[in-house]
Amino acid sequence: MGSRRNRCRLCGKSFSTDIALRRHLKERHRGYYYGIRLGPFIAIAAILLAVLLAPHSGTALTAITPSTPTTSIVQTRSSQKEVAPDFELPEIDELGLTDKKIKLSQFSGKPVLIEFMFPICDHCIKMTPTIKELYEKYGDRVVFISITVKWYLTDQQLVKLTADLIKKYERRWLHLGDMDGKAQTSYRIRATPTYILLDSKHRVVWKHEGELPKDYLERAILEVIG
């Protein structure tokens, strides 16, 4: 009876003890021996991996693969359009601070493209030709505003670097300095550049983080201006 209990299921050999049978399996049938012991752990790992990699429903973010190198790419279009927070920020031109403060509400009734950018961000600088071309094409129908964020800069550094950027690249649209970071916080800016398109009622209809091809941005503008 003991030999039947200690018989190898794979080759039929019988052994006097369980220990001898296990030694035989380990030496002659290694795949079977280790498979029995590791199988439950492998199954659990596979289940956990499937859960982690499964797509999550209900997300408002859609990944886009543009044709140019990018930073993080996030684009969102919402059917429930939220009204953009108003702001009042100092204007910066190629000479530095002007004596003006600009409010978003000044442009009521017109679509607005807001660019949150950092004046020494390579990705922001690479987008300059695209924004310039679209400004020249649609600037009479859409208000273009670049808001420069401080990150680690002082107020003085932000103003100087922004002025230098405007002068060097001939950026002729509005530039504002977010000195206290309130605009960055209220618009939930996580990275630069970030582009936010508002319709004529200043509702957020489109938001994108990172570089993007001109046709993506132009398509969004055309949808707003009709």
Side-chain angles (χ1 to χ4, degrees), residues 77 134 197 214-224:
R77 294 172 186 266
L134 293 174
L197 189 61
K214 187 192 74 172
D215 58 338
Y216 278 79
L217 185 51
E218 185 169 22
R219 190 183 311 156
I221 290 173
L222 288 173
E223 287 181 9
V224 168

Side-chain angles (χ1 to χ4, degrees), residues 34-44:
Y34 289 107
I36 290 176
R37 284 154 179 76
L38 296 178
F41 298 99
I42 294 173
I44 292 172

Side-chain angles (χ1 to χ4, degrees), residues 15 20 27 48 88 100 104 106 123 171 192 199 203-205 213 216 219-220:
F15 299 87
E27 292 175 356
L48 291 174
E88 183 177 21
K100 297 179 183 177
L104 174 63
Q106 291 177 216
H123 300 287
R171 295 166 58 105
T192 55
D199 63 15
R203 297 173 300 183
V204 177
V205 297
Y216 278 79
R219 190 183 311 156

